[in-house]
Amino acid sequence: YQRRVRGAKKEKERKKKKMQNSEKEEFKNYLEKQGVIDTLTKVIVNLLEENEKPTNPVEYIREHLANSQPPSTTQEVVNSLRLENEDLKRQNEQLKKKIEQLQKQLDTTSK
């Protein structure tokens, strides 16, 4: 009798685990179909590729996730453009610093 009870419990646990895995797989498929995984991946890759890492990576991710959604109102368009402009200004400053650094290296090696 106890063997049957144990066997039934183990079977119930296996079914429960299988159901959980199935639900996880369904949820993962849902996220993939909706583009969530691709969007998150792109934002994280952008963070990884930043020359100067932001002091608050969570805020960086929030801002870039917000930018990845299609704007639906004029105010959202304005906000999106402001964020993009700030990002481009930051990138421009980074590139200016890099040019200055490379120019100094060039001057040093050409002497």
Side-chain angles (χ1 to χ4, degrees), residues 60-110:
Y60 176 94
I61 291 171
R62 275 191 198 122
E63 287 177 9
H64 285 78
L65 278 176
N67 287 338
S68 69
Q69 300 301 316
S72 59
T73 66
T74 304
Q75 186 58 44
E76 288 178 355
V77 171
V78 170
N79 290 340
S80 175
L81 290 172
R82 280 189 182 139
L83 289 172
E84 182 181 0
N85 188 28
E86 289 172 14
D87 191 40
L88 291 171
K89 284 180 181 179
R90 187 173 38 78
Q91 288 178 16
N92 189 26
E93 285 302 313
Q94 289 174 352
L95 291 171
K96 284 180 181 179
K97 287 177 185 177
K98 184 146 189 142
I99 289 171
E100 187 178 314
Q101 187 181 40
L102 292 171
Q103 187 63 46
K104 285 179 183 178
Q105 286 178 353
L106 184 63
D107 290 344
T108 304
T109 56
S110 63

Side-chain angles (χ1 to χ4, degrees), residues 29-75:
N29 289 337
Y30 162 75
L31 293 176
E32 285 177 352
K33 286 179 185 176
Q34 297 301 318
V36 174
I37 293 175
D38 284 341
T39 301
L40 287 172
T41 301
K42 287 176 187 174
V43 170
I44 291 171
V45 167
N46 286 340
L47 175 59
L48 176 69
E49 292 175 347
E50 283 289 332
N51 289 333
E52 293 182 26
K53 302 297 182 222
T55 56
N56 187 345
V58 173
E59 187 60 33
Y60 176 94
I61 291 171
R62 275 191 198 122
E63 287 177 9
H64 285 78
L65 278 176
N67 287 338
S68 69
Q69 300 301 316
S72 59
T73 66
T74 304
Q75 186 58 44

